[in-house]
């Protein structure tokens, strides 16, 4: 499985003051996973500004800026905090987990390794959870009770059990691979039989 690191273009540096609290946010909610697609989004003209504290914000030509919301700028989605600063890293919005590129702040899609964990972000930016088939291979992405848990939506590896009384056992190949075993396979020299499509363990041996 090839997972390509996405490297965004570096935004031009413009030094200025931080956003002023007196300016209002005139944009409506444009969360990409719910109300609007990237193709339909319209950017509000403006320019990127880097403040003295090293943080970025996006000033519209009319003097406003986006706060606590998404904005589609030059073909990419960005999220700004309650003060109007561009965010980076993992964020949570409307019960979903997103990754904003640590260097450039744009919303990540596809495979990405972050803090030594693999995630898969759908085209709307939301992290995939539970079972998924990606490029013909099956995976399982962790679901926990806490959206803030770093393991939430992370790709599982090794042996794991899903369900309780009527649950099943699975095996995901270790390291950066992570896809689920299926059919007749050997793991550490031991033979196992897994369901061909649902990938759960049927029995030890062939």
């Amino acid at each position: 499985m090839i997972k390509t690191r996405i490297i965004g273009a570096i935004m031009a540096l413009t030094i200025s003051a931080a956003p002023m609290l007196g300016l209002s946010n005139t944009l409506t909610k444009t969360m990409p996973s719910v109300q609007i697609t990237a193709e339909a989004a319209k950017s509000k003209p403006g320019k990127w500004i880097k403040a003295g504290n090293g943080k970025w914000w996006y000033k519209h030509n009319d003097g406003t800026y986006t706060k606590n919301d998404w904005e589609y700028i030059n073909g990419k989605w960005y999220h700004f905090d309650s003060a109007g600063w561009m965010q980076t890293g993992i964020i949570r919005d409307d019960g979903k987990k997103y990754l904003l590129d640590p260097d450039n702040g744009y919303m990540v899609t596809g495979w990405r390794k972050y803090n030594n964990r693999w995630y898969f972000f759908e085209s709307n930016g939301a992290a995939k959870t539970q079972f998924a088939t990606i490029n013909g291979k099956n995976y399982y992405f962790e679901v926990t009770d806490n959206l803030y848990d770093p393991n939430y939506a992370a790709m599982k590896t090794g042996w794991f059990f899903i369900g309780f009384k009527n649950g099943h056992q699975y095996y995901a190949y270790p390291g950066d691979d992570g896809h689920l075993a299926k059919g007749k396979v050997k793991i550490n020299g031991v033979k196992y039989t897994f369901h061909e499509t649902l990938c759960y363990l049927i029995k030890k041996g062939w």
Side-chain angles (χ1 to χ4, degrees), residues 1-4 6 90 97-99 108-114 117-135 137 139-142 152-156:
M1 178 175 59
I2 300 175
K3 305 182 181 81
T4 305
I6 305 171
I90 293 289
K97 189 172 190 174
Y98 298 84
L99 176 61
V108 171
T109 59
W111 286 105
R112 178 64 72 94
K113 192 173 188 178
Y114 183 75
R117 296 174 178 84
W118 279 106
Y119 300 90
F120 185 83
F121 299 92
E122 301 184 77
S123 59
N124 63 12
K128 194 75 177 176
T129 57
Q130 301 188 6
F131 292 100
T133 300
I134 302 170
N135 295 329
K137 293 186 177 182
Y139 301 87
Y140 184 79
F141 298 92
E142 183 79 73
Y152 186 94
M155 181 186 74
K156 290 282 287 185

